[in-house]
Amino acid sequence: MVRVRFAPSPTGMLHIGGLRTAIFDWLFARHEGGSFILRIEDTDRTRLVPGALEDIMAGLRWAGLQWDEGPEVGGNHGPYLQSERLEFYQKYAQQLVDEGKAYYCYCTPERLEEMRSAQQAAGKPTGYDRRCRFLSAEERARLEGEGAAKVIRFAMPDSGTTTFIDAVRGELSFENALQDDFVILKSDGFPTYHFASVVDDHLMEITHVFRGEEWISSGPKHVQIYAALGWEPPVWVHLPLILGTDRSKLSKRHGAVSLRTYIEEGYLPEAVVNYLALLGWSAGEDRDIYSIDELIEKFTLDGVIDHPAIYDSQKLLWMNGQYIRMTSIDRLAELILPYLQKAGLVPETLSKEQMDYIKKVTTLVQDRLKVLSEAPEMSEFFFVEEPVFDPKAVDKWLKKPGTPELLMAVANRVDALDDWNMEAIEAAVREAGAEAGAEGGKVIHPVRVATTGRTVGPGLFETIETLGKQRVVSRLRKAAEMYNG
RNA sequence: GGCCCCGUCGUCUAGUGGUCAAGGAUGCAUGGUUCUCAGCCAUGAGAUCGAGGGUUCGAAUCCCUUCGGGGCUACCA
């Protein structure tokens, strides 16, 4: 039974990199018919960010990555917040101390800092000098008597090599002599990441650990903890890093990396999941668009890429446009609605007629949208009493001699229409134009500016049809009067 | 500095000794459709497969060296 976990630290909002890891976790679990577990690694009390946990859970749910075990849903391997699991870490840390595989360290932060500076100054590798590993019983008793703050350090073997298998890169091996006696339990009684994640992955029966490539170098630490505790290690799957355009690890300074931003801008969850699934994984095919079900079906470990990928928001934008075009009008209208409401273009509560109108507008903007948040700007003239005129459009198309007469002619022709449909409207506009000596674009462009205030937008005749006779005729006449002389 | 990972079009990638004078996508350019924009369609530019040596009849694919990029090097994850 495959069991995977996504183990974010609530030290910030859910970001692109974290989501990508969660997607791989989830896809693999679903592909294998296993379980997807959410575990919160809140062991650094100093870096906790209020609201981060909620943001992470909301983001995962938005993306459709529902967890089978974890906060708010429970499970048989809880608790799922590490801050509520201290007894486990303390118990196993104590066991290691008792067995001589770990030891108390009383070194002060100041001493550690001095030691590091000296090592750096001497051009030597930095690392703990293991002073407390060989403390005499008397020294230890003295320090205890003084009530000195202490941590527990893991006693790494000082010779030999530690080897483990990474599912993506194969066998990786490291010299033990170069490893540090790292801290497993901090002086505040909380575990460090290295210890907590190993203990929990074991206790939660995790079979595959997906994590960023930045963890490869701490692999030996984890392997040695498993060995010291006599536990079977999981399969490690180190995911290639996601890089910014400067080729360094993607982070806040690269701009928009929090999922929140993308949700607010109006990206669709399936587009984000699809794009991120392809950042570091490939099905080996000549295609880019995959439904969630297809991703689940095709997701296997051998498709995981072993080199970093630069995050390309332009391709995500393209993909989002693709998904917007694939979305049904009903759903797209629902998705756009909040944006229109926020812009004050439509009321909070809507009649059936108003909703139908929004759907008609939706059909006209669907091909033009790349993100949902563009909808208000793009469709504003459909919802306001008077369009906002673009001065350049006015200068170009309305301030010409004869234009007022042309617009009046079109208004009259359209006003006289009995059947309100695109074909009839097109015929009316073109005929009115032809009679005034304005063929094709010569009539279409001024009419578009008069009715929408701008030069670009959906097809004129469908726009007029959607706008409705009354509004169109009124706008045409007003424009004609405004620029008459 | 030390240790480790990685290196195919700007970007994401396909490619596992011959069908690769390297395919797809994105982005870019041009053309077509059309009332504009977008979309859609077509075409094009764009990678001597980081470089140099080998092995082989034959290498992007195997070996060596080298250069480059990145990660880690905390009582952070």
Side-chain angles (χ1 to χ4, degrees):
Chain A
M1 175 67 168
V2 163
R3 289 172 59 83
V4 300
R5 51 48 168 196
F6 174 53
S9 197
T11 54
M13 305 297 125
L14 183 59
H15 56 92
I16 293 298
L19 215 213
R20 196 276 308 256
T21 302
I23 288 169
F24 280 40
D25 275 316
W26 184 82
L27 249 19
F28 184 67
R30 291 291 169 269
H31 178 86
E32 298 289 338
S35 296
F36 173 58
I37 294 126
L38 175 62
R39 182 176 76 220
I40 305 302
E41 312 223 325
D42 55 348
T43 57
D44 185 348
R45 311 313 287 170
T46 68
R47 294 206 309 154
L48 294 182
V49 170
L53 174 57
E54 291 69 26
D55 182 78
I56 290 167
M57 294 195 290
L60 292 176
R61 285 184 169 129
W62 174 83
L65 311 183
Q66 186 51 264
W67 50 100
D68 306 309
E69 292 176 31
E72 294 186 355
V73 307
N76 300 325
H77 298 71
Y80 294 92
L81 262 59
Q82 291 187 326
S83 56
E84 295 172 6
R85 301 173 60 80
L86 265 27
E87 54 183 312
F88 295 117
Y89 314 127
Q90 283 160 2
K91 172 188 158 193
Y92 289 110
Q94 189 57 53
Q95 180 186 321
L96 290 176
V97 171
D98 293 345
E99 293 172 356
K101 294 168 179 169
Y103 58 92
Y104 285 109
C105 172
Y106 305 88
C107 293
T108 61
E110 293 72 31
R111 175 178 185 266
L112 263 17
E113 185 47 48
E114 283 169 26
M115 184 189 67
R116 251 194 302 277
S117 308
Q119 287 166 337
Q120 275 167 353
K124 289 184 184 157
T126 56
Y128 181 56
D129 62 6
R130 297 181 172 168
R131 180 204 264 195
C132 293
R133 184 161 170 177
F134 306 106
L135 241 34
S136 67
E138 297 76 49
E139 286 173 306
R140 184 167 291 119
R142 181 178 60 80
L143 287 160
E144 284 289 340
E146 291 171 1
K150 62 188 178 185
V151 300
I152 294 180
R153 286 184 184 273
F154 187 82
M156 281 294 283
D158 49 18
S159 64
T161 60
T162 299
T163 299
F164 61 95
I165 306 292
D166 171 70
V168 181
R169 280 154 271 259
E171 190 174 286
L172 266 20
S173 87
F174 299 78
E175 266 189 71
N176 292 152
L178 267 16
Q179 298 296 322
D180 211 6
D181 278 3
F182 59 100
V183 173
I184 59 177
L185 208 68
K186 301 183 252 188
S187 56
D188 64 358
F190 278 74
T192 57
Y193 166 85
H194 303 299
F195 196 60
S197 75
V198 167
V199 169
D200 286 346
D201 285 340
H202 171 74
L203 262 22
M204 293 180 179
E205 302 181 72
I206 300 304
T207 59
H208 301 256
V209 171
F210 289 73
R211 49 159 46 157
E213 194 186 354
E214 71 266 31
W215 292 105
I216 286 181
S217 49
S218 31
K221 293 183 173 68
H222 308 148
V223 171
Q224 289 299 150
I225 297 175
Y226 275 101
L229 259 6
W231 294 341
E232 187 71 22
V235 173
W236 277 287
V237 188
H238 290 103
L239 273 25
L241 255 24
I242 299 177
L243 272 26
T245 43
D246 63 352
R247 296 188 175 274
S248 69
K249 196 163 82 167
L250 195 67
S251 67
K252 270 132 286 189
R253 63 194 176 74
H254 289 105
V257 292
S258 81
L259 211 220
R260 190 94 266 139
T261 310
Y262 291 89
I263 296 175
E264 284 166 5
E265 278 185 37
Y267 283 80
L268 305 194
E270 55 269 48
V272 172
V273 170
N274 189 160
Y275 175 72
L276 255 20
L278 261 27
L279 251 202
W281 175 81
S282 163
E285 302 174 315
D286 281 349
R287 52 185 287 216
D288 287 297
I289 304 290
Y290 290 93
S291 68
I292 299 295
D293 286 342
E294 287 172 319
L295 288 174
I296 291 172
E297 183 203 326
K298 292 173 184 293
F299 191 89
T300 55
L301 262 24
D302 54 359
V304 178
I305 308 299
D306 67 355
H307 58 266
I310 294 173
Y311 176 68
D312 178 12
S313 58
Q314 285 196 120
K315 188 153 185 178
L316 203 212
L317 191 62
W318 163 78
M319 195 169 275
N320 202 56
Q322 293 294 309
Y323 276 94
I324 283 177
R325 256 148 259 141
M326 281 189 261
T327 299
S328 72
I329 292 302
D330 282 0
R331 175 172 179 237
L332 189 55
E334 291 291 344
L335 290 171
I336 287 173
L337 186 55
Y339 292 89
L340 299 178
Q341 288 170 327
K342 198 174 172 210
L345 296 177
V346 303
E348 290 302 312
T349 51
L350 298 159
S351 65
K352 168 91 168 52
E353 288 68 31
Q354 286 172 311
M355 198 58 217
D356 285 343
Y357 182 67
I358 290 169
K359 284 180 188 173
K360 278 162 92 177
V361 172
T362 300
T363 61
L364 301 191
V365 297
Q366 181 172 36
D367 277 358
R368 277 156 256 261
L369 287 175
K370 282 209 163 69
V371 288
L372 268 19
S373 58
E374 293 170 337
E377 197 284 326
M378 197 176 279
S379 63
E380 185 184 28
F381 60 84
F382 281 112
F383 300 104
V384 294
E385 198 49 44
E386 294 296 323
V388 177
F389 287 91
D390 168 12
K392 281 186 195 156
V394 170
D395 286 346
K396 184 165 185 196
W397 294 107
L398 296 187
K399 291 187 174 173
K400 282 186 178 168
T403 302
E405 294 75 15
L406 173 64
L407 295 179
M408 284 307 282
V410 173
N412 293 337
R413 198 55 97 104
V414 166
D415 196 19
L417 247 27
D418 289 327
D419 292 327
W420 192 251
N421 60 63
M422 261 181 68
E423 294 71 30
I425 293 164
E426 175 162 8
V429 172
R430 287 187 188 279
E431 280 167 27
E435 284 170 17
E439 307 268 359
K442 291 249 184 352
V443 59
I444 285 166
H445 296 309
V447 170
R448 170 177 285 109
V449 175
T451 53
T452 71
R454 47 183 95 177
T455 56
V456 301
L460 210 223
F461 309 116
E462 46 192 351
T463 297
I464 290 177
E465 183 189 28
T466 302
L467 242 17
K469 185 194 281 186
Q470 197 188 348
R471 215 165 351 193
V472 169
V473 170
S474 142
R475 287 182 185 183
L476 284 169
R477 288 186 173 144
K478 275 204 177 129
E481 286 163 21
M482 203 177 306
Y483 298 100
N484 195 2

